[in-house]
Amino acid sequence: MGEHPSPGPAVAACAEAERIEELEPEAEERPPAEDHWKVLFDQFDPGNTGFISTGKFRSLLDSHSAKLDPHKREVLLALADSHANGQICYQDFVNLMSNKRSNSFRQAILQGNRRLCSKALLEEKGLNLSQRLIRHVAYETLPREIDRKWYYDSYTCCPPPWFMITVTLLEVAFFLYNGVSLGQFVLQVTHPRYLKNSLVYHPQLRAQAWRYLTYIFMHAGIEHLGLNVVLQLLVGVPLEMVHGATRIGLVYVAGVVAGSLAVSVADMTAPVVGSSGGVYALVSAHLANIVMNWSGMKCQFKLLRMAVALICMSMEFGRAVWLRFHPSAYPPCPHPSFVAHLGGVAVGITLGVVVLRNYEQRLQDQSLWWIFVAMYTVFVLFAVFWNIFAYTLLDLKLPPPP
């Protein structure tokens, strides 16, 4: 996305510290990774206590202030001041110099944030188009100014938001292929051959496990595909730019699987098509994050944006409900279910909210994350056993396979 015209208002990269020659061993003798930071730290901690006193640390920074990013200097001092005994520990030193985030680091920054008196990111002038886009994404998705500055300074567009773009392109490609082969682009689901596709989830074929995921590549028609694509590009791509493909992919796939499993439990005779489970997981998580952090979200027209997203979701959900109860083109099999939407929402306001709230922190350290993972796992296991035994026990009459 290009280089910033001047050092950003947040924490600079570790390369700045590497230019302080007096603090470094010679390049050919430099130890690897954290051993390097340990050597530097031990120079000012001869007693090997694991801490540097605030006074010694201030003297160190003052003596090299001309060669150190002033924002990094301020944050280091904020870290030191955040400790009750006026010392900075080795791990905080490593986290800052290696550009890592941790819970202790976040707390230290928040407690010492009064020292970070640089102007708000919105007041930065002279930004090019790509920099304004990054700033816009930061304000759209992150509620804390320190996180927005950190993201703005560190984002490199490498890797790009490939997950959402790839999924969207695949969905469009499959739709176009089906449109040509069926000779129908509007309400494709009414075509007699539509359910014969091996990607659609069908209750009689529920033993074919891939169908619980691949149904996202089959849409009921261009009106169905259009709304899903718009939502996942407008919401999913910015979220992936901030939180990365791993986190956003996890929420999306969890919503997709929860959607098909929810249909298999609550609407047992209906097939499932469309990516609404994953899309609704992302959108509902994003909207819930905005509501929970309303005062901190500084995006323009946030109320209008929420209204537009809710209107689009309501239109798509209403279309799905109408279609479910519309006379089927191939009785006795009904049209696709709308319950997958609800499964996606449930994932979004549980797993999704935790993922979006904990920007650049390890989810493994979050107790609420583990609670929701346990709940999701229990639901999946319940749905699997339900699919194995419930249909026989209930003696349910299923529509014939396509």
Side-chain angles (χ1 to χ4, degrees):
M1 285 290 192
E3 297 296 328
H4 301 302
S6 60
V11 182
C14 61
E16 188 71 31
E18 292 177 355
R19 292 201 292 269
I20 307 178
E21 297 177 359
E22 293 86 347
L23 298 181
E24 293 188 320
E26 293 297 325
E28 62 272 12
E29 301 174 357
R30 185 178 300 162
E34 290 199 11
D35 290 343
H36 171 51
W37 304 127
K38 182 63 174 174
V39 170
L40 296 180
F41 194 86
D42 286 346
Q43 293 181 25
F44 304 95
D45 181 28
N48 199 27
T49 63
F51 292 88
I52 297 177
S53 68
T54 303
K56 186 179 294 185
F57 197 66
R58 283 182 178 276
S59 299
L60 166 66
L61 293 179
D62 289 340
S63 63
H64 299 91
S65 59
K67 299 180 180 180
L68 186 65
D69 185 332
H71 298 289
K72 173 170 284 188
R73 179 181 181 277
E74 291 298 323
V75 173
L76 279 167
L77 290 174
L79 281 168
D81 290 344
S82 68
H83 292 278
N85 57 358
Q87 294 177 315
I88 179 171
C89 71
Y90 169 68
Q91 189 57 54
D92 282 339
F93 177 81
V94 171
N95 287 342
L96 180 65
M97 291 304 187
S98 57
N99 222 23
K100 294 179 180 178
R101 302 292 294 274
S102 68
N103 284 332
S104 60
F105 181 80
R106 171 185 285 277
Q107 291 303 318
I109 290 296
L110 292 179
Q111 292 174 22
N113 196 36
R114 65 185 182 277
R115 302 190 62 90
L116 304 177
C117 54
S118 57
K119 60 184 177 182
L121 186 56
L122 272 178
E123 299 173 10
E124 293 283 343
K125 304 296 183 182
L127 304 182
N128 60 35
L129 182 61
S130 64
Q131 292 166 346
R132 290 200 299 270
L133 174 62
I134 296 172
R135 181 176 65 180
H136 172 77
V137 169
Y139 276 91
E140 283 289 310
T141 55
L142 296 171
R144 296 186 178 94
E145 183 69 14
I146 190 67
D147 283 336
R148 291 192 284 259
K149 291 179 178 180
W150 181 283
Y151 168 74
Y152 176 81
D153 280 353
S154 60
Y155 183 72
T156 61
C157 199
C158 184
W162 61 269
F163 177 80
M164 292 308 308
I165 293 175
T166 301
V167 169
T168 301
L169 290 177
L170 287 173
E171 291 171 2
V172 172
F174 275 103
F175 174 79
L176 293 176
Y177 172 79
N178 288 320
V180 172
S181 62
L182 299 176
Q184 184 172 340
F185 289 90
V186 178
L187 286 178
Q188 286 183 350
V189 71
T190 61
H191 196 285
R193 296 203 317 270
Y194 183 84
L195 287 185
K196 295 183 182 295
N197 195 293
S198 60
L199 301 180
V200 176
Y201 170 84
H202 189 283
Q204 276 281 23
L205 303 175
R206 64 190 182 278
Q208 299 176 359
W210 70 84
R211 292 177 180 264
Y212 290 92
L213 185 61
T214 59
Y215 74 92
I216 67 172
F217 300 116
M218 300 293 294
H219 284 79
I222 194 170
E223 69 289 342
H224 185 199
L225 175 72
L227 286 170
N228 279 343
V229 165
V230 168
L231 285 173
Q232 69 187 25
L233 287 179
L234 290 181
V235 176
V237 170
L239 289 178
E240 186 178 346
M241 288 175 64
V242 172
H243 298 281
T246 301
R247 289 176 175 235
I248 298 306
L250 172 65
V251 176
Y252 189 86
V253 173
V256 169
V257 174
S260 54
L261 290 176
V263 172
S264 71
V265 172
D267 197 2
M268 300 168 67
T269 62
V272 188
V273 297
S275 58
S276 298
V279 173
Y280 275 51
L282 291 179
V283 176
S284 60
H286 180 52
L287 295 182
N289 190 48
I290 291 177
V291 171
M292 293 171 62
N293 300 282
W294 186 261
S295 60
M297 301 300 292
K298 302 300 182 182
C299 52
Q300 291 183 321
F301 311 113
K302 57 185 176 183
L303 190 58
L304 177 62
R305 294 169 189 270
M306 284 189 61
V308 171
L310 290 173
I311 290 172
C312 290
M313 292 174 67
S314 299
M315 290 174 58
E316 206 279 321
F317 183 73
R319 180 212 56 81
V321 173
W322 169 83
L323 185 62
R324 171 64 178 85
F325 297 105
H326 189 270
S328 175
Y330 31 82
C333 185
H335 281 312
S337 177
F338 59 86
V339 177
H341 301 67
L342 305 179
V345 171
V347 168
I349 60 179
T350 52
L351 286 176
V353 167
V354 176
V355 168
L356 301 193
R357 190 179 65 189
N358 294 283
Y359 168 66
E360 287 298 326
Q361 292 190 49
R362 296 177 59 188
L363 291 174
Q364 295 90 330
D365 296 334
Q366 308 298 319
S367 57
L368 194 59
W369 160 257
W370 286 110
I371 292 174
F372 287 140
V373 167
M375 292 170 57
Y376 185 82
T377 304
V378 169
F379 166 72
V380 170
L381 292 175
F382 168 78
V384 169
F385 283 104
W386 180 273
N387 277 273
I388 295 173
F389 300 109
Y391 286 80
T392 302
L393 294 175
L394 296 175
D395 194 22
L396 191 66
K397 184 178 181 180
L398 293 177

